[in-house]
């Protein structure tokens, strides 16, 4: 086998490695994609508009908030601002993942940031933590199925929305919190994991009860990150460099 | 163009800005302070926790059972195993406690 064939094979296996990791995400987000499509049409979107929003925004929770406000005839700028608020946590993801993908060509980075969702960030961080390089092929193997299924399923939801059965009995409204808990647990070997989780959980619950959603996400996250910044570096496992 | 279309375009630009913004700010610095690096390392646990905690608090026994089992499985098994275990417990528990 020539060297070229070997490297082509490893690119292929990188891609499929990413696809394999995307499967729980595809399963967990499917109900929300269908639900988004159904709700969008219910709130006055056309099927084409529901499709466009999923294809260009690609952020489940923010899309739900957006169409909810749209249905209540809230001012357009306020809808956009709310979507921005729900998605604000990505600023932290973006700052974190930049260290892992800085070696990619600029165009690939631009595409990579477009598909930077919660699971995309968490799974890529896990790979980096294991000491492996986060390559573009692997990253897109992870992100592409999630994106394609999200767009296709929201469109299907928009077309066939009325046919969705009782989602509660099937438990699909609570699948994402379960998946996110798994991701939180997978970082438990990191320094300061427990203090950060406790700080974020406490702050997000207090903010949820007082300020309200969606700000509890940014406020809770900031509390955990600030704790890690404030604690002396010897606790956080990051050596002070001369 | 319709208002809806403008909302979608503006929302997609705003969202892309959040996805690339943190990187654009951080990459302006040549040197990352150890404390900033410690903060960045805390990002996954900090953000993902906020997506679980309030949802767990406002849920009921069926959801709590699912989270506990999923949490225990995640100590040993992989992500897919813990996800399936949690989903199975949730669906079963909801048949009994609603």
């Amino acid at each position: 086998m020539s060297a070229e064939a070997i490297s082509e094979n490893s690119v292929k296996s990188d891609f499929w490695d990413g696809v394999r990791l995307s499967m729980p995400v595809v399963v967990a987000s499917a109900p929300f994609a269908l639900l988004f499509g159904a709700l969008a049409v219910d709130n006055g979107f056309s099927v084409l508009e529901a499709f466009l929003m999923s294809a260009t925004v690609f952020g489940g929770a923010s899309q739900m908030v957006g169409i909810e406000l749209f249905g209540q005839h809230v001012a357009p700028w306020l809808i956009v601002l709310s979507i921005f608020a729900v998605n604000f946590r990505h600023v932290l993801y973006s700052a974190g993942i930049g260290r892992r993908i800085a070696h990619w060509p600029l165009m690939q980075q631009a595409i990579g940031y477009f598909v930077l969702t919660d699971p995309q960030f968490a799974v890529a961080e896990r790979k980096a933590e294991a000491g492996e390089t986060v390559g573009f092929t692997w990253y897109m193997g992870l992100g592409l199925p999630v994106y394609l299924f999200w767009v296709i399923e929201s469109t299907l939801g928009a077309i066939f929305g009325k046919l969705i059965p009782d989602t509660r009995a099937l438990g699909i409204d609570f699948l994402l919190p379960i998946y996110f808990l798994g991701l939180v647990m997978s970082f438990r070997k990191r320094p300061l994991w427990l203090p950060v989780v406790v700080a974020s959980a406490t702050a997000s619950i207090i903010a949820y009860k007082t300020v309200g959603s969606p700000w509890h996400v940014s406020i809770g996250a900031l509390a955990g990150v600030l704790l890690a910044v404030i604690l002396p570096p010897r606790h956080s496992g990051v050596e002070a460099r001369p | 163009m319709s208002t809806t279309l403008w909302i979608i375009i503006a929302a997609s630009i705003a969202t892309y800005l959040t996805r690339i913004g943190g990187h654009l700010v951080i990459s302006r610095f040549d040197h990352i302070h150890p404390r900033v690096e410690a903060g960045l390392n805390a990002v996954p646990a900090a953000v993902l926790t906020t997506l679980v905690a309030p949802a767990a608090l406002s849920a009921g026994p069926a959801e709590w059972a699912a989270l506990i089992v999923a949490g225990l499985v995640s100590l040993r098994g992989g992500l897919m195993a813990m996800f399936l275990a949690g989903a199975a417990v949730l669906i079963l528990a909801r048949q009994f406690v609603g």
Side-chain angles (χ1 to χ4, degrees):
Chain A
M1 194 187 277
S2 73
E4 218 166 83
I6 292 171
S7 88
E8 193 177 300
N9 271 346
S10 88
V11 163
K12 258 188 204 157
S13 87
D14 263 5
F15 183 80
W16 289 108
D17 201 32
V19 171
R20 193 174 50 78
L21 289 167
S22 77
M23 284 304 121
V25 188
V26 168
V27 173
S29 57
F32 296 92
L34 292 167
L35 195 64
F36 165 76
L39 289 176
V41 168
D42 227 33
N43 281 290
F45 268 44
S46 68
V47 172
L48 180 69
E49 287 162 347
F51 158 81
L52 265 181
M53 192 179 200
S54 278
T56 60
V57 175
F58 187 42
S62 72
Q63 291 178 227
M64 297 284 190
V65 169
I67 46 153
E68 172 69 24
L69 296 176
F70 183 82
Q72 295 170 18
H73 302 288
V74 170
W77 69 270
L78 205 56
I79 298 177
V80 175
L81 183 70
S82 303
I83 290 173
F84 182 73
V86 177
N87 284 329
F88 194 73
R89 65 185 188 283
H90 293 109
V91 169
L92 293 171
Y93 294 159
S94 158
I97 203 78
R99 304 175 288 173
R100 321 296 190 195
I101 65 174
H103 60 281
W104 296 0
L106 223 52
M107 196 57 211
Q108 293 186 355
Q109 288 191 40
I111 297 168
Y113 285 111
F114 178 74
V115 294
L116 186 58
T117 55
D118 300 284
Q120 186 77 26
F121 169 71
V123 176
E125 271 289 290
R126 287 190 338 155
K127 189 174 172 74
E129 188 174 55
E132 295 168 38
T133 310
V134 177
F136 182 70
T137 314
W138 174 85
Y139 186 94
M140 290 317 285
L142 174 65
L144 213 52
V146 181
Y147 179 76
L148 290 178
F149 276 97
W150 178 258
V151 173
I152 292 167
E153 286 159 353
S154 0
T155 311
L156 289 177
I159 299 171
F160 302 108
K162 300 280 183 286
L163 303 177
I164 294 181
D166 181 7
T167 52
R168 216 193 106 78
L170 296 170
I172 57 187
D173 56 303
F174 205 70
L175 286 185
L176 277 182
I178 293 175
Y179 178 73
F180 288 138
L181 174 72
L183 289 177
V184 171
M185 293 297 291
S186 69
F187 288 100
R188 66 186 184 280
K189 297 266 160 57
R190 281 202 179 176
L192 295 180
W193 178 80
L194 191 60
V196 167
V197 166
V198 171
S200 295
T202 313
S204 69
I205 286 169
I206 292 170
Y208 186 74
K209 300 263 181 203
T210 54
V211 189
S213 187
W215 300 101
H216 70 282
V217 174
S218 295
I219 293 171
L222 225 49
V225 171
L226 278 181
L227 181 77
V229 171
I230 290 165
L231 287 175
R234 68 192 150 82
H235 291 300
S236 46
V238 180
E239 296 299 320
R241 286 185 211 94
Chain B
M1 258 191 348
S2 72
T3 316
T4 318
L5 215 51
W6 280 114
I7 293 175
I8 293 171
I9 292 169
S12 67
I13 294 169
T15 301
Y16 190 68
L17 285 179
T18 67
R19 285 185 170 140
I20 201 161
H23 164 68
L24 292 181
V25 171
I26 287 279
S27 64
R28 302 211 145 258
F29 301 92
D30 300 331
H31 210 77
I32 298 181
H33 191 279
R35 284 182 190 266
V36 175
E37 196 177 338
L40 291 179
N41 286 337
V43 167
V47 182
L48 295 163
T49 298
T50 68
L51 303 177
V52 183
L57 194 75
S58 46
E63 292 78 17
W64 294 331
L67 286 178
I68 291 168
V69 170
L72 289 176
V73 172
S74 72
L75 294 175
R76 279 299 171 89
L79 204 52
M80 194 67 184
M82 91 97 216
F83 178 66
L84 292 177
V89 170
L90 180 67
I91 293 168
L92 271 178
R94 277 194 177 168
Q95 309 302 318
F96 299 109
V97 292

